[in-house]
Amino acid sequence: QVQLVESGGGLVEPGGSLRLSCATSGFTFSQSMVGWFRQAPGKERQFVSSIDLIRQRPYYADSVKGRFSISGDYAKNTVTLVMNSLQLDDTAVYYCAAGEAVLVQGDSGEYDYWGQGTQVTVSS
């Protein structure tokens, strides 16, 4: 049974940082792609970041480049998203997603498994 469990969300002031974790199980971590997507009220779900765990290659949406950093822990089957310099527009529910046949990292339709999400609220 594939499971993705997000953690680390919360309330943070603008300019602050949060560390999101996606604990995975039920699939071969090292042969998969794991990504983060977010959805704010009234907006479509958008790509944030992902990592090709086969090639250890990270990908970032333009809006978070230079601020967010993604990494995979192969021993713990966990993907971490470190979010720095958070802005009000970063407020959203953040979802972890995984797939074993992802061809386009930023396309949510390419991912097979999804977590329940964790709320990130950036507010002063």
Side-chain angles (χ1 to χ4, degrees):
Q1 187 87 343
V2 173
Q3 285 192 297
L4 305 175
V5 181
E6 302 98 332
S7 62
L11 176 64
V12 65
E13 294 185 349
S17 300
L18 284 174
R19 185 188 301 265
L20 304 184
S21 294
C22 176
T24 75
S25 61
F27 63 94
T28 304
F29 186 79
S30 62
Q31 297 180 20
S32 71
M33 316 292 181
V34 175
W36 289 93
F37 294 78
R38 66 188 183 187
Q39 188 164 26
K43 294 186 176 181
E44 294 185 345
R45 184 169 296 182
Q46 66 176 175
F47 171 73
V48 178
S49 181
S50 66
I51 184 166
D52 179 345
L53 293 166
I54 301 171
R55 305 165 183 83
Q56 301 180 60
R57 172 75 179 276
Y59 298 85
Y60 301 97
D62 289 342
S63 60
V64 306
K65 284 182 179 177
R67 299 190 297 123
F68 292 9
S69 180
I70 192 169
S71 62
D73 186 330
Y74 293 84
K76 298 180 179 179
N77 292 345
T78 298
V79 169
T80 297
L81 182 70
V82 177
M83 305 186 295
N84 296 315
S85 301
L86 284 162
Q87 304 166 356
L88 297 179
D89 288 345
D90 293 318
T91 296
V93 177
Y94 283 69
Y95 297 91
C96 181
E100 297 176 283
V102 174
L103 299 178
V104 182
Q105 292 283 340
D107 185 350
S108 62
E110 293 287 295
Y111 294 81
D112 300 309
Y113 316 114
W114 293 81
Q116 292 297 307
T118 185
Q119 177 71 49
V120 171
T121 302
V122 184
S123 177
S124 60

